[in-house]
Amino acid sequence: MPVACRMCGGPAVLKRPKTGDAVCKDCFFYAFENEVNYTITNGNLFKRGDRVAVGASGGKDSTVLAYILKLLNERHDYGIELILLSVDEGITGYRDDSLETVKRNQHQYDLPLKIVSYEDLYGWTMDAIVKQIGLKNNCTFCGVFRRQALDRGAMLLKANKIATGHNADDIAETVLMNVLRGDIARLRRCTAITTGAEGGLPRCKPLKYTYEKEIVMYAYFKKLDYFSTECIYSPNAYRGHARTYLKDLERIRPSSIIDLIHSGESLSIKKDVKMPVQGTCTRCGYISSNAICKACTLLEGLNKGLPKLAIGKSNKSRRLLDAASQSSDSTNEKTSPKEKKKDVTF
Amino acid sequence: GGAELLFDKVKEHEVKLSHDNNPWTIRKLLVWIKENLLKERPELFVQEDTVRPGILILVNDADWELVGELEYEIQNKDRIVFISTLHGG
């Protein structure tokens, strides 16, 4: 016997995890779109005249993000300009396929597209990095580089804001990860809907309260074109553990996801806890809590053949860096055949 | 949504299920799929007697949670869709 839609009584197609309500297709679209609109207006994410670079990977979240931002911009007259921004990390068989999807999105949504690559920015593709460092800690490199790449790309586009497709599940996973690792600094920052306003470009997450399940269902019912494969280097990522746990939690009590985000937002930290101070990197000018930002340190490690640099405790990496610079000062440093030096300036 | 990779990249399978004294529930179908269609890494599709969390199931384009999940009895010509959500966005 078909279940009736909570809102209009028609035949229901989806049980919303957020509310437990059964809704029909059109009411689902209505609720989904209105909730994102509410998140945007309530959080003051955009103002008229903003030029927004939309992080687009061709995956489900960014495709839905691009689609819905365009729709809401027209429907509610935000008055913003949207441009698709894609990062090519150089992962054969994964990224090159998903970039084809973004190129299709460009035509389907009639939005301009810019692609920036790790190869151009840093002189290293992820494939080359993984060859050097092995299959552990890949995501550390990729994530750090991608953040900078997005900023770089957005600046090239003369955008004043970046929007990413992070969804509720992602943020809940991040909260879990930071709790498990005891990373109080990140824990405090990770639930903010807009971040980075005091350094690079502000970046916001309009889908912050949107469940991954609903994003997939929205894309399915609207027949949106997206690319869906796991990054070939991701199986060893720490986030995988948090995700498995979260999915099990969601099955038992679907509101867990939004509750986790709420807990993260409600956290307050005692005054006497030491927090890192945000400054700027002395090498490239990017925002950083240390003298040299993570990206520069990682690159240094890759170029000097010290791939473990910046992985793990920071004092250790500083010692390694000092030792490396001391040995290069005392002998004239020979350029290793693998070295591809690229200066990252901002 | 990527789930087809576990099935030799074949997305659509037309399946004839033999008549049985017991009705064909989704629970039974999952066991059947695991034994007959799944080509690799069963732990990525099924977990214990249900589907792995993160894989959505639609019965005739409606959420399986609305029709009784594992206990739903499959009717003739039903269209069952499995969508994986476990990948990058």
Side-chain angles (χ1 to χ4, degrees):
Chain A
M1 24 90 233
V3 182
C5 168
R6 183 81 152 66
M7 287 149 84
C8 72
V13 293
L14 171 71
K15 184 162 185 236
R16 298 197 70 196
K18 203 186 265 188
T19 58
D21 290 335
V23 289
C24 72
K25 202 184 282 190
D26 290 323
C27 292
F28 169 54
F29 291 161
Y30 178 79
F32 186 86
E33 288 157 13
N34 271 0
E35 280 167 22
V36 178
N37 179 44
Y38 179 76
T39 304
I40 291 175
T41 47
N42 201 44
N44 291 316
L45 299 189
F46 305 124
K47 42 180 214 309
R48 187 164 292 277
D50 274 347
R51 218 169 124 81
V52 182
V54 179
S57 62
K60 58 191 187 335
D61 302 319
S62 48
T63 295
V64 170
L65 177 71
Y67 178 86
I68 208 169
L69 278 182
K70 175 154 191 208
L71 184 132
L72 294 176
N73 188 32
E74 282 164 15
R75 182 183 290 172
H76 297 282
D77 189 31
Y78 295 156
I80 60 177
E81 250 187 281
L82 296 166
I83 310 142
L84 296 172
L85 175 58
S86 228
V87 178
D88 179 6
E89 304 99 337
I91 302 175
T92 330
Y94 174 69
R95 191 48 82 205
D96 37 3
D97 286 344
S98 80
L99 282 178
E100 288 308 308
T101 312
V102 191
K103 288 179 192 157
R104 289 200 300 274
N105 289 157
Q106 173 191 18
H107 298 296
Q108 288 154 355
Y109 307 150
D110 193 24
L111 291 171
L113 164 69
K114 168 122 194 95
I115 303 178
V116 289
S117 76
Y118 281 9
E119 179 83 69
D120 291 337
L121 289 173
Y122 310 113
W124 286 84
T125 60
M126 270 316 290
D127 285 342
I129 292 177
V130 175
K131 262 206 208 99
Q132 244 226 7
I133 67 171
L135 288 169
K136 266 194 116 180
N137 298 317
N138 313 136
C139 299
T140 304
F141 281 82
C142 198
V144 170
F145 286 165
R146 189 179 313 108
R147 254 156 229 119
Q148 270 216 17
L150 274 178
D151 274 337
R152 269 308 230 20
M155 285 195 175
L156 285 170
L157 288 172
K158 306 220 192 320
N160 64 334
K161 214 159 258 180
I162 299 175
T164 54
H166 291 88
N167 59 46
D169 297 52
D170 293 328
I171 312 241
E173 280 165 22
T174 308
V175 170
L176 271 176
M177 275 170 73
N178 289 330
V179 167
L180 288 171
R181 287 165 153 173
D183 193 332
I184 190 69
R186 286 206 171 83
L187 190 53
R188 202 172 64 157
R189 297 196 299 259
C190 70
T191 45
I193 196 170
T194 306
T195 51
E198 38 340 80
L201 288 175
R203 50 180 68 201
C204 62
K205 306 176 171 81
L207 301 180
K208 179 188 173 192
Y209 297 108
T210 318
Y211 274 61
E212 188 168 65
K213 173 181 173 181
E214 299 202 345
I215 290 179
V216 173
M217 295 309 299
Y218 188 80
Y220 178 77
F221 287 133
K222 287 261 180 186
K223 301 199 192 328
L224 298 180
D225 181 8
Y226 68 87
F227 178 74
S228 51
T229 309
E230 266 197 277
C231 172
I232 50 182
Y233 300 128
S234 72
N236 301 312
Y238 190 72
R239 184 172 284 267
H241 301 299
R243 175 170 299 166
T244 312
Y245 183 56
L246 189 77
K247 284 293 161 192
D248 285 336
L249 277 178
E250 186 190 8
R251 174 159 286 196
I252 301 169
R253 195 180 84 166
S255 64
S256 315
I257 298 184
I258 215 92
D259 293 340
L260 266 168
I261 301 180
H262 181 70
S263 308
E265 286 168 341
S266 315
L267 270 176
S268 56
I269 302 166
K270 280 207 272 217
K271 275 210 198 54
D272 53 356
V273 173
K274 181 162 177 265
M275 299 291 285
V277 175
Q278 310 246 278
T280 46
C281 173
T282 50
R283 279 206 202 157
C284 68
Y286 195 62
I287 188 173
S288 168
S289 334
N290 299 313
I292 302 181
C293 77
K294 192 85 164 179
C296 285
T297 323
L298 287 175
L299 259 182
E300 172 113 18
L302 283 174
N303 288 333
K304 285 207 162 85
L306 287 171
K308 285 274 181 257
L309 209 59
I311 308 284
K313 301 278 177 213
S314 53
N315 341 353
K316 213 194 216 174
S317 58
R318 229 169 284 154
R319 267 187 280 130
L320 272 171
L321 200 55
D322 289 340
S325 55
Q326 269 170 17
S327 64
S328 69
D329 282 343
S330 56
T331 66
N332 280 329
E333 192 176 12
K334 284 187 291 231
T335 315
S336 70
K338 263 212 184 129
E339 189 167 300
K340 303 176 207 177
K341 265 219 145 78
K342 275 261 159 127
D343 276 335
V344 180
T345 50
F346 237 61
Chain B
E4 66 274 13
L5 293 174
L6 302 174
F7 295 85
D8 254 346
K9 303 209 179 140
V10 178
K11 277 196 177 176
E12 291 205 29
H13 302 256
E14 213 181 285
V15 162
K16 278 195 166 55
L17 303 169
S18 53
H19 260 299
D20 212 323
N21 283 331
N22 307 320
W24 275 95
T25 56
I26 305 248
R27 185 193 297 275
K28 203 164 161 189
L29 177 69
L30 284 177
V31 177
W32 186 91
I33 290 178
K34 183 176 172 192
E35 287 167 9
N36 294 287
L37 287 180
L38 203 53
K39 295 296 174 206
E40 55 183 277
R41 294 188 293 169
E43 71 278 7
L44 292 185
F45 190 72
V46 288
Q47 186 170 296
E48 283 162 34
D49 65 346
T50 185
V51 76
R52 183 183 177 207
I55 299 198
L56 306 175
I57 303 185
L58 298 179
V59 177
N60 298 326
D61 265 11
D63 193 344
W64 77 324
E65 291 184 43
L66 295 172
V67 294
E69 293 192 27
L70 288 171
E71 306 313 323
Y72 170 73
E73 286 178 20
I74 306 172
Q75 309 295 311
N76 202 19
K77 301 244 193 289
D78 267 356
R79 193 162 165 264
I80 306 193
V81 181
F82 298 89
I83 310 179
S84 170
T85 65
L86 304 162
H87 50 76

